[in-house]
Amino acid sequence: MTDFSERVEQVSISGIREVFEAAGDDAINLGLGQPDFPTPEHARRAAVEAIEAGEVDAYTSNKGTLELREAISAKHDRDNEFSVPPENLIATSGGSEALHVAIEAHVDPGEEVIFPDPGFVSYDALTRIAGGEPRPVALREDLTLDPAAVEDAITDDTAAFVVNSPSNPTGAVQSEEDVREFARIADEHDVLCISDEVYEHIVFDEEHHSPMAYAESDNVVVVNACSKTYSMTGWRLGWVAASERRIERMLRVHQYAQACASAPAQFAAEAALTGPQDPVEEMVAAFEERRDVLLDGLADMGLETPTPRGAFYAMPEVPDGWVDAVLDRGVVVVPGGAFGEHGKGYARISYATDTETLKEAIEVMREATNAVQ
């Protein structure tokens, strides 16, 4: 009898999804990891025009259209301190597939992948699906990842470590000093650094830095996407940037799993990357204002919250029963344990919702806090 693979049996449905499905239809959703802004009009229009012109009816190149890859290459020249030629990029089905091909192409069964805990749920799951061994590393008190902890966790079996800045679920932003250290670790230990930079533009009090800008070897793969920066989560358009030899291996995974990214999404992404960036700036300013509203509300409840410097999440330390009390009152938040063992005792709150709704949710959270303290 055909049974299920051991790799898949080790992976469960995301704890985030379980919370969503348990919530009522009229709940205030502060668990959603997507911006509440529309995709920029010029990006939408580019997709519509490409569809109407019949330009999206066929497969694109496995790597994506040359025009999109040129736009991504120009974006790295413009926004980051490194350059990647178009041939060293693959357009993927969102950042999720980008992470998948990066891990699948570099991790053998039994090899270890180090990642932050609490950290994005896909790091553990994708490691297991590749047959690897997850090696979560606890964060500092400010919820940043300590390079020294990563270096201490490296063994002869380590294939890769993941850096995520700005972070989902914590909103933490790694300092330039930390990022330089991650690059050094990748170089000196000859271990791959997978840098998840999907939230790179949503930064408030710090600046985004990429280990690819500082690495002297090709031991860095950058994962990015249009999903958060341009509010294009549903378009499913991401990419990986790496050296020629690493791209060639990741392409082997991508071409059989996906063939190519959605053609309409590629046209939209090209326009988003090359067009006006005003919508991004407006969105980031709104998120910063909402962050401050949320932080003030949490502090007034007596909940300690490391200040998130980016993304659109906060992770307060919460008393026992707090998450259930909030959920029971019709506000969706995600228990920190969904993001790893060291996330227990925290809750992830997304402030990707309008300010008035956020204020309403804060009052509900205040009631829940009073009820469980």
Side-chain angles (χ1 to χ4, degrees):
M1 182 180 73
T2 302
D3 210 339
F4 300 105
S5 73
E6 183 179 345
R7 299 186 311 280
V8 171
E9 289 295 87
Q10 294 182 59
V11 178
S12 60
I13 298 298
S14 163
I16 304 173
R17 183 57 52 189
E18 291 178 354
V19 170
F20 288 165
E21 293 178 353
D25 294 337
D26 58 349
I28 297 174
N29 195 338
L30 301 186
L32 203 57
Q34 67 178 10
D36 59 321
F37 294 85
T39 298
E41 178 60 29
H42 58 277
R44 292 182 180 184
R45 178 49 48 190
V48 170
E49 290 176 355
I51 291 168
E52 291 177 341
E55 296 179 305
V56 300
D57 297 343
Y59 294 120
T60 72
S61 162
N62 288 140
K63 289 183 177 179
T65 67
L66 176 60
E67 293 79 7
L68 171 59
R69 287 180 286 120
E70 287 175 339
I72 297 170
S73 178
K75 166 259 178 301
H76 285 304
D77 284 334
R78 177 187 73 214
D79 299 338
N80 309 109
E81 296 178 353
F82 62 85
S83 295
V84 181
E87 58 268 26
N88 288 4
L89 295 161
I90 302 172
T92 60
S93 182
S96 298
E97 195 218 343
L99 282 170
H100 173 63
V101 300
I103 291 174
E104 196 71 36
H106 292 95
V107 179
D108 271 328
E111 289 189 325
E112 299 171 350
V113 177
I114 298 165
F115 51 82
D117 179 0
F120 183 45
V121 294
S122 290
Y123 305 147
D124 184 287
L126 291 175
T127 297
R128 295 179 188 275
I129 289 171
E133 294 291 332
R135 288 292 178 262
V137 171
L139 304 179
R140 298 165 170 146
E141 287 188 8
D142 67 354
L143 300 183
T144 58
L145 180 63
D146 187 349
V150 171
E151 193 161 25
D152 288 345
I154 291 175
T155 71
D156 290 341
D157 294 323
T158 303
F161 66 92
V162 180
V163 175
N164 177 208
S165 177
S167 166
N168 176 8
T170 68
V173 176
Q174 300 289 154
S175 68
E176 181 179 8
E177 181 182 359
D178 283 349
V179 174
R180 286 183 179 274
E181 278 294 285
F182 292 134
R184 179 194 63 77
I185 291 167
D187 290 339
E188 291 187 4
H189 291 270
D190 196 22
V191 170
L192 183 69
C193 172
I194 300 174
S195 184
D196 181 349
E197 303 181 16
V198 168
Y199 292 88
E200 68 161 314
H201 285 292
I202 308 175
V203 178
F204 314 129
D205 307 317
E206 306 286 346
E207 291 185 2
H208 169 73
H209 299 280
S210 172
M212 186 171 277
Y214 306 113
E216 297 179 0
S217 67
D218 76 340
N219 288 341
V220 177
V221 170
V222 168
V223 168
N224 212 323
C226 290
S227 300
K228 314 300 182 178
T229 298
Y230 299 105
S231 195
M232 292 177 64
T233 54
W235 293 82
R236 310 311 304 136
L237 198 291
W239 67 86
V240 284
S243 67
E244 180 180 1
R245 68 185 184 119
R246 296 194 186 281
I247 284 291
E248 197 276 336
R249 269 66 173 192
M250 289 186 283
L251 186 63
R252 298 180 194 181
V253 180
H254 169 72
Q255 70 176 359
Y256 292 114
Q258 194 68 27
C260 65
S262 160
Q266 292 189 52
F267 281 89
E270 178 192 343
L273 289 162
T274 59
Q277 300 301 298
D278 299 21
V280 179
E281 296 171 5
E282 293 167 5
M283 183 174 67
V284 172
F287 284 143
E288 185 171 11
E289 290 179 6
R290 296 173 187 180
R291 178 201 64 169
D292 293 343
V293 168
L294 177 61
L295 289 180
D296 287 346
L298 294 173
D300 192 50
M301 297 174 212
L303 299 181
E304 293 188 12
T305 310
T307 300
R309 308 292 183 182
F312 39 74
Y313 308 106
M315 282 197 84
E317 294 187 58
V318 297
D320 290 344
W322 189 87
V323 171
D324 287 339
V326 172
L327 290 171
D328 289 344
R329 287 165 171 79
V331 172
V332 178
V333 297
V334 183
F339 303 98
E341 183 69 24
H342 293 282
K344 292 179 179 178
Y346 291 85
R348 190 192 77 170
I349 303 171
S350 168
Y351 44 91
T353 190
D354 66 271
T355 302
E356 290 308 310
T357 302
L358 185 61
K359 288 179 178 178
E360 182 182 346
I362 289 170
E363 291 310 309
V364 174
M365 288 187 277
R366 192 187 312 278
E367 292 178 9
T369 303
N370 291 336
V372 299
Q373 283 182 336

